[in-house]
């Protein structure tokens, strides 16, 4: 199902999007810009609002800039509901898994001319690898404002309490593997009753976040050309058997319906991105940030990416594109880097990122962020992603049972999505 088709389906379903607007004080008259995002973090919102306020000082024609937070789970559905209902925002964050749909849909404004024409922007500083997902031919349809590798945050207090090795010690000894990481996670659960390892935002729904694990086996949900199902391939089956054992036999990961928040001290480890460091509370517990463990296929990294696009059907596409150029210029890109690793080659250096991320040590930035961007693969995406994702999610429900037949469940998933992949 294409994005345009999905918009029609969304209207028919009559879905409503929950939203929390954050708006700078408005002037009585002028252009009101609205941008949908999925973060509700106060630090993120404050930084975005500060940038908006700086832009408005020199642009009296802009009455207000509103950041509208939509829930992460269901974000794309909520966004397409707005578009389909004739209420498209001016700008929006777009998830990497729906990038092919948005880029090919024709509803996004090409940005390359605006960005190239903005004095001091440095368009050629944008890494081709970072913009690839958001390009079609020579046009750039969204700015990849966050190119963020996944790493593991570890609660060192819980690890020590369980008598397990700290991840840094595992790394120093050449032992940082998925087998050892899960063994340490199981030890924490057994000793403390707290969760071992949590894949943040997965919750047995957002299955593509498991790419942070299965990529270590060299597995993928489909082939590089998107036409062949990969769930029933040996590498994926081995990875999923490993996950199933970790959940239901070793209890290294919390099972379905047992959420645990690492940042509240409820888990020993979590897989997530550096933007989540803002959730860490000073002095709550000792912590570390390390790369993903080595898998049977060797060292690897996984990148989550998000773009900011401007909608042609939005109320003010030209004004929105101008604000986007300011929001993502070199100065503001450096400011955003404290949460969202930039796509600018000149800014992917440890010293600059360390200055922008005072909570992180230079070694953590080098190992997780810089190295991760160098070797990482972006999370899976496909045209018609919304329908494919729903079918896969429903199919994998059979896997998340204690007595599941892993191979049969994965084979059934492929049977369901092959017709969709072949479109």
């Amino acid at each position: 199902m294409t994005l345009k088709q999905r918009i029609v389906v969304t209207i028919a379903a009559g879905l409503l999007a929950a939203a929390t607007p954050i708006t700078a004080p408005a002037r009585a008259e002028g252009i009101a810009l609205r941008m949908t995002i999925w973060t509700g973090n106060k630090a993120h919102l404050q930084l975005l609002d500060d940038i908006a306020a700086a832009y408005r000082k020199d642009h009296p024609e802009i009455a207000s800039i509103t950041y509208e937070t939509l829930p992460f789970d269901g974000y794309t559905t909520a966004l397409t509901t707005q578009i389909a209902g004739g209420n498209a925002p001016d700008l929006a964050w777009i998830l990497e898994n729906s990038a092919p749909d948005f880029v090919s849909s024709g509803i996004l404004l090409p940005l390359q001319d605006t960005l190239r024409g903005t004095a001091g922007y440095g368009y050629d500083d944008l890494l081709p690898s970072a913009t690839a997902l958001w390009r079609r031919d020579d046009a750039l349809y969204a700015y990849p404002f966050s190119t963020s590798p996944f790493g593991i945050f570890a609660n060192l207090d819980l690890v020590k309490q369980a008598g397990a090795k700290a991840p840094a010690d595992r790394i120093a000894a050449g032992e940082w593997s998925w087998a050892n990481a899960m063994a340490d996670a199981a030890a924490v659960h057994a000793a403390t009753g707290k969760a071992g390892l949590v894949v943040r935002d997965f919750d047995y729904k957002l299955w593509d976040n498991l790419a942070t694990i299965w990529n270590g086996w060299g597995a993928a949900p489909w082939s590089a050309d998107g036409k062949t199902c990969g769930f029933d391939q040996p590498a994926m089956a081995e990875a999923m058997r490993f996950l199933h054992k970790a959940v239901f036999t070793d209890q290294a990961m919390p099972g379905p319906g047992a959420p645990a928040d690492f940042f509240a001290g409820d888990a020993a480890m979590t897989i997530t991105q550096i933007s989540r460091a803002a959730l860490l509370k000073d002095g709550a517990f000792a912590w570390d940030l390390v790369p993903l463990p080595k898998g049977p296929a060797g060292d690897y990294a996984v990148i989550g990416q998000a773009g900011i696009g401007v909608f042609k059907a939005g109320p003010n596409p030209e004004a929105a594109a101008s604000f986007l150029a300011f929001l993502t210029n070199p100065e503001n890109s450096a400011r955003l880097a404290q949460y969202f690793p930039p796509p600018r080659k000149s800014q992917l250096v440890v010293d600059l990122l360390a200055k922008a991320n005072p909570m992180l040590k230079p070694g953590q930035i080098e190992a997780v962020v810089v190295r991760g961007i160098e070797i990482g693969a972006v999370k899976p995406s496909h045209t018609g992603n919304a329908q494919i994702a729903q079918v896969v999610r429903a199919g994998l429900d059979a896997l998340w049972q204690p007595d599941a037949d892993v191979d049969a469940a994965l084979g059934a998933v492929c049977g369901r999505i092959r017709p969709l992949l072949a479109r």
Side-chain angles (χ1 to χ4, degrees):
M1 181 180 290
T2 67
L3 179 65
K4 291 179 180 178
Q5 291 171 327
R6 186 149 38 92
I7 289 172
V8 172
V9 170
T10 304
I11 289 180
L15 298 173
L16 296 177
T20 304
I22 303 295
T23 312
R27 298 184 177 93
E29 297 179 356
I31 295 170
L33 294 178
R34 178 169 60 94
M35 175 174 163
T36 59
I37 57 179
W38 63 82
T39 183
N41 181 272
K42 291 182 179 179
H44 298 171
L45 294 171
Q46 184 62 59
L47 175 55
L48 290 167
D49 207 39
D50 288 347
I51 294 172
Y55 182 74
R56 291 175 62 223
K57 283 183 180 180
D58 295 327
H59 293 80
E61 75 280 8
I62 304 299
S64 64
I65 298 175
T66 300
Y67 300 105
E68 184 180 14
T69 298
L70 306 177
F72 184 82
D73 186 6
Y75 175 86
T76 300
T77 298
L79 175 58
T80 54
T81 299
Q82 292 190 6
I83 299 168
N87 185 34
D90 297 285
L91 309 93
W93 287 8
I94 299 170
L95 291 165
E96 75 283 294
N97 59 16
S98 58
D101 282 328
F102 277 92
V103 169
S104 64
S105 68
I107 66 173
L108 294 175
L109 184 75
L111 300 172
Q112 68 282 352
D113 291 343
T114 298
L115 301 184
R116 281 197 178 104
T118 299
Y121 189 83
Y123 185 81
D124 292 337
D125 191 33
L126 304 183
L127 286 164
S129 59
T131 59
L133 191 62
W134 311 96
R135 289 183 179 277
R136 191 177 188 187
D137 300 324
D138 294 329
L140 180 69
Y141 289 96
Y143 171 90
F145 85 102
S146 181
T147 300
S148 187
F150 286 83
I152 289 186
F153 283 89
N155 182 325
L156 300 181
D157 292 346
L158 284 178
V159 172
K160 182 178 180 179
Q161 186 178 342
K165 275 190 176 182
D169 295 335
R170 290 282 194 194
I171 292 170
E175 302 170 350
W176 188 230
S177 65
W178 268 117
N180 286 331
M182 284 300 189
D184 293 338
V188 169
H189 177 71
T192 70
K194 298 291 183 76
L197 180 137
V198 175
V199 182
R200 190 169 180 89
D201 296 321
F202 164 49
D203 195 27
Y204 296 88
K205 298 174 184 177
L206 300 181
W207 56 267
D208 56 341
N209 278 0
L210 293 180
T212 56
I213 297 178
W214 73 48
N215 276 26
W217 276 255
W222 40 73
S223 57
D225 64 7
K227 296 180 180 179
T228 303
C229 182
F231 281 101
D232 59 356
Q233 297 302 301
M236 181 65 81
E238 185 180 348
M240 289 300 205
R241 282 193 290 269
F242 175 84
L243 274 168
H244 190 274
K245 181 175 181 291
V247 175
F248 296 104
T249 302
D250 302 334
Q251 296 188 318
M253 298 174 64
D261 184 357
F262 170 86
F263 296 98
D266 297 335
M269 291 178 270
T270 188
I271 301 174
T272 191
Q273 295 156 294
I274 67 167
S275 60
R276 303 291 188 172
L279 298 174
L280 290 164
K281 297 178 181 178
D282 290 341
F285 52 82
W287 60 274
D288 197 2
L289 172 64
V290 296
L292 298 174
K294 180 182 291 187
D299 290 326
Y300 72 105
V302 177
I303 296 170
Q305 198 174 55
I308 302 177
V310 172
F311 293 103
K312 292 179 181 177
N316 312 286
E318 293 183 3
S322 176
F323 172 62
L324 176 57
F326 180 81
L327 177 66
T328 62
N329 68 22
E331 178 183 354
N332 288 322
S333 176
R335 297 177 68 188
L336 290 165
Q338 63 185 292
Y339 306 117
F340 311 109
R344 292 181 174 275
K345 180 170 56 177
S346 65
Q347 294 180 345
L348 289 175
V349 292
V350 173
D351 289 348
L352 187 148
L353 292 173
K355 187 179 295 184
N357 296 270
M359 294 183 67
L360 303 181
K361 299 174 183 177
Q364 294 170 332
I365 292 171
E366 174 68 41
V368 177
V369 181
V370 176
R371 175 65 173 160
I373 291 174
E374 286 177 352
I375 69 170
V378 178
K379 284 172 57 183
S381 62
H382 202 288
T383 52
N385 183 78
Q387 186 177 12
I388 293 171
Q390 184 177 4
V391 172
V392 172
R393 174 176 167 176
L396 288 178
D397 282 346
L399 182 65
W400 310 128
Q401 308 293 331
D403 58 351
D405 184 331
V406 174
D407 291 348
L410 295 176
V413 170
C414 277
R416 294 180 181 185
I417 68 170
R418 280 195 183 100
L420 303 178
L421 299 180
R423 288 182 179 178

